[in-house]
Amino acid sequence: MEDVDPQPLIPGTGGSIGIVGGGWAGMAAALELAQAGRHVHVFEAAPVLGGRARRVARAHPQVAGELDNGQHLLLGAYRHTLALMRRAGVDPDVAFLRLPLQMAYPDGWTLEAPRWPAPLHLLGMGLRARGISWSERAALARVLSEVRAGERGARPQTVAAWLSTTPCALRDRLWYPLCVAALNTPPEQADAAVFRRVLRDSVFAARSDSDMLVPRLDLSRVFPEAAANVVRQAGGTVATGATVRALSRDGARGHGWVVHTASGATHVDSVVIATAPRPAARLLAPLREQASALAPTLAMLDGFAYAPIVTLHLNVGALRLPRPFLALDAGAQAPAQFVFDRAALGNGGAAHDNVWSVVISAADAEGDLEQPELARRVRAQLARQLAPCLPQANRLAQPRGDFVIAERHATFRCVPGLARPHNRTGVAGLLLAGDYTDGPYPATLEAAMLSGSAAAALCMQAEP
């Protein structure tokens, strides 16, 4: 277990910062600023901190325990995220179940990396693969070699175009599911360069970078609420249920900004807008006197297309998966891509039925289905596909309690050539933070945390 040593607080000597949005990007900025001695005021519209990675505020009578709005899977390569968690006093070894890189299906088709030094763990993964021919192992090695070589002279293309000559089994059971999980964008649309960068940074550095981290705690506790505690200890404020209605110049002081909410006005020196792109655009658009400076940022905020993610939390009685999670073969009537066993994460207990969390990323068609029909299709898929490894799988076809959560604008579509805004908006004292800002990664928690830290650094650099 790693030592957790929260960074000591610097006495408040700097300016005041308003942060609009208490998601992972906003709370990363808040933590950085609070620990650097700034007076931080966080405004979150929802009742729970975490943004698009949060604990669900309401309980479900037939699906016990604290549930998240979506099942997340982090990587050991999320070094910035893990570092900020430690600074907030959260031990990653407590917060996550750490597993080796793996893709395992109920019928026994398995790729799993041994705990060997990088990049030998990839060689071991290929040698130990189950259900994969030697020609497919050779094709796997070729793709990994391309990933390691980098982007020299690579032309913009989609993941599907890049992998068009790869054997179907590897595409359908390895690369495409990883693409959809990492980018939440169908392979026919997804940016191959970004996908290769995610793969390269996670599998070719330290061996532990390729580890898969499954949250044991609800997502709000994993970081945002711990960061909020630091902000409050430093003398700042964190308000939930506090929708920011408008931003305006602080004419009374001759500098800074005023953050307007239903409960009043808060005067600050700088503002970090750490919401999703659409709410950010709504706050920026009325600042007409800054129209020319804001025009490029507003154009990029309006240029995003979005992909949904649907998560089904299913009451499965006493059933258990043979692993903490399994991949599934997705298709027209079989929408799910991954299923996670919450009992394997230490959630629930003997007094409660087990819960499985089933993930459907890039859920364009499924987002429009009625929830009972979607749950029926997923249960039928599980009953059919889990039969080889779970003798009681036929029980899954009968509902015991379902909780369906659809995030219709979960992430931006990570397509080739996408223009993403900088943290700077072009207006002094007004910055953006979020997983959609300009950076190397798709819409992930690591991208959000990096963006929040970058916005905080720019705030402090701009101080007189």
Side-chain angles (χ1 to χ4, degrees):
M1 184 175 293
E2 300 183 47
D3 292 333
V4 177
D5 186 16
Q7 182 171 309
L9 297 173
I10 297 173
T13 56
S16 59
I17 314 293
I19 298 179
V20 185
W24 288 61
M27 295 315 299
L31 179 73
E32 298 272 17
L33 291 163
Q35 291 183 332
R38 274 54 176 186
H39 301 283
V40 177
H41 304 284
V42 179
F43 306 88
E44 169 54 49
V48 178
L49 295 175
R52 284 168 287 127
R54 69 187 184 280
R55 178 179 64 251
V56 175
R58 60 191 175 93
H60 188 278
Q62 295 172 303
V63 183
E66 298 286 5
L67 301 176
D68 291 326
N69 68 317
Q71 176 66 54
H72 279 66
L73 181 68
L74 286 72
L75 296 174
Y78 287 13
R79 297 185 182 188
H80 192 69
T81 297
L82 298 175
L84 288 189
M85 286 177 57
R86 294 186 191 97
R87 284 173 50 185
V90 176
D91 185 347
D93 288 332
V94 174
F96 298 108
L97 173 66
R98 182 178 283 265
L99 302 170
L101 174 66
Q102 58 189 269
M103 187 69 77
Y105 284 81
D107 63 3
W109 193 101
T110 304
L111 280 166
E112 183 171 352
R115 296 190 181 279
W116 298 353
L120 294 178
H121 67 309
L122 300 177
L123 174 62
M125 182 175 70
L127 292 175
R128 295 181 173 189
R130 296 175 56 193
I132 301 172
S133 69
W134 286 105
S135 62
E136 290 168 340
R137 297 175 207 224
L140 171 63
R142 286 194 297 271
V143 171
L144 289 173
S145 295
E146 291 181 29
V147 169
R148 189 175 193 181
E151 302 300 318
R152 294 186 297 272
R155 69 184 189 280
Q157 62 182 161
T158 66
V159 169
W162 170 47
L163 297 173
S164 59
T165 60
T166 302
C168 292
L170 283 182
R171 286 205 313 267
D172 295 343
R173 286 197 146 190
L174 178 63
W175 301 124
Y176 283 7
L178 287 178
C179 167
V180 172
L183 278 64
N184 193 33
T185 306
E188 297 78 16
Q189 303 172 12
D191 189 338
V194 174
F195 184 45
R196 285 193 292 264
R197 190 177 304 125
V198 170
L199 292 173
R200 183 170 62 252
D201 290 355
S202 59
V203 301
F204 283 112
R207 197 277 313 155
S208 60
D209 285 349
S210 67
D211 282 348
M212 294 176 159
L213 311 182
V214 189
R216 295 180 186 270
L217 309 176
D218 69 74
L219 290 169
S220 294
R221 290 175 60 198
V222 167
F223 175 72
E225 291 179 347
N229 290 335
V230 175
V231 170
R232 294 185 180 109
Q233 290 167 12
T237 63
V238 179
T240 56
T243 300
V244 174
R245 296 177 171 179
L247 302 172
S248 64
R249 285 289 193 183
D250 192 342
R253 293 194 302 168
H255 71 279
W257 294 87
V258 182
V259 181
H260 301 272
T261 67
S263 60
T266 303
H267 297 257
V268 294
D269 295 307
S270 300
V271 174
V272 177
I273 301 176
T275 67
R278 288 183 173 184
R282 286 196 292 269
L283 287 173
L284 292 174
L287 302 175
R288 301 300 181 188
E289 72 277 11
Q290 308 293 342
S292 59
L294 288 172
T297 296
L298 285 169
M300 284 183 273
L301 291 175
D302 291 339
F304 287 113
Y306 300 90
I309 297 177
V310 177
T311 302
L312 292 83
H313 299 292
L314 306 180
N315 183 321
V316 295
L319 294 181
R320 293 290 306 275
L321 293 176
R323 289 172 175 260
F325 76 94
L326 285 170
L328 300 168
D329 290 305
Q333 295 295 314
Q337 295 130 3
F338 293 95
V339 55
F340 291 78
D341 188 331
R342 291 177 61 81
L345 307 176
N347 294 305
H352 299 292
D353 288 343
N354 192 16
V355 174
W356 290 354
S357 297
V358 183
V359 180
I360 309 172
S361 297
D364 293 312
E366 292 77 17
D368 295 330
L369 286 176
E370 294 292 332
Q371 292 189 0
E373 172 60 16
L374 180 59
R376 185 196 66 78
R377 291 188 188 186
V378 168
R379 283 188 172 275
Q381 177 187 4
L382 292 172
R384 182 173 61 255
Q385 293 190 16
L386 293 176
C389 68
L390 191 66
Q392 306 89 356
N394 62 315
R395 299 181 189 173
L396 292 164
Q398 299 302 316
R400 296 176 60 94
D402 311 315
F403 193 10
V404 181
I405 301 175
E407 289 281 348
R408 297 189 179 278
H409 299 93
T411 70
F412 64 86
R413 292 181 188 269
C414 190
V415 299
L418 180 66
R420 295 163 62 175
H422 195 272
N423 292 102
R424 296 188 182 91
T425 64
V427 177
L430 197 57
L431 297 113
L432 292 178
D435 57 16
Y436 60 88
T437 58
D438 191 23
Y441 299 123
T444 59
L445 294 179
E446 180 76 350
M449 300 283 265
L450 287 167
S451 180
S453 292
L458 290 170
C459 275
M460 291 184 282
Q461 289 173 16
E463 292 173 349

